[in-house]
């Protein structure tokens, strides 16, 4: 959905709207072609790829594909609304961190 570039920092972002807070963001919504493209991008460019998650009545939250894969490895099938604070970044915090990464390169 988005190719973001700022200075030398660049990343891929896929945007997902979450309509059911009870079930949250189901990892099954990450399509195989998205995973393959993001993994190829990460391997070639050395950057993480992200999903921007929009839960109802909440600010956008960011999560890296690598974090999703870690959670899947632990048996999780989704990010529930209870997990959102501990497993994702608020968009504003993520943007602030991205600025730092770009300046460090």
């Amino acid at each position: 959905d988005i190719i973001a570039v700022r200075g030398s920092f660049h990343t891929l972002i896929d945007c997902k709207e979450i309509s059911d807070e009870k079930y949250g963001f189901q990892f099954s919504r990450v399509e195989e072609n998205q995973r393959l493209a993001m993994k190829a991008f990460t391997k070639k460019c050395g950057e993480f790829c992200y999903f921007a998650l929009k839960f109802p009545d909440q600010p956008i939250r960011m999560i890296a594909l690598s974090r999703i894969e870690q959670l899947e490895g632990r048996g999780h099938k989704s990010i529930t609304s209870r997990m959102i604070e501990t497993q994702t970044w608020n968009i504003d915090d993520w943007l602030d961190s991205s600025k730092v990464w770009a300046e460090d390169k």
Side-chain angles (χ1 to χ4, degrees), residues 1-13 41 47 62 94-95 98:
D1 291 348
I2 299 170
I3 299 173
V5 177
R6 183 177 190 145
S8 61
F9 175 77
H10 48 280
T11 190
L12 303 180
I13 304 169
F41 180 87
E47 302 284 4
M62 303 296 289
W94 181 82
L95 287 168
S98 296

Side-chain angles (χ1 to χ4, degrees), residues 5-70:
V5 177
R6 183 177 190 145
S8 61
F9 175 77
H10 48 280
T11 190
L12 303 180
I13 304 169
D14 191 88
C15 303
K16 302 287 188 187
E17 187 169 357
I18 313 304
S19 58
D20 188 341
E21 284 192 67
K22 179 181 177 184
Y23 296 105
F25 174 57
Q26 301 290 314
F27 297 151
S28 61
R29 291 186 59 194
V30 180
E31 299 169 17
E32 188 62 22
N33 65 318
Q34 292 172 319
R35 287 179 191 266
L36 292 172
M38 288 180 162
K39 285 180 181 182
F41 180 87
T42 298
K43 185 176 181 178
K44 180 155 179 80
C45 301
E47 302 284 4
F48 290 102
C49 296
Y50 295 87
F51 287 85
L53 308 177
K54 179 61 177 121
F55 282 76
D57 303 321
Q58 292 188 33
I60 295 169
R61 306 293 299 194
M62 303 296 289
I63 186 168
L65 174 62
S66 59
R67 184 67 183 140
I68 289 172
E69 290 177 335
Q70 288 173 348

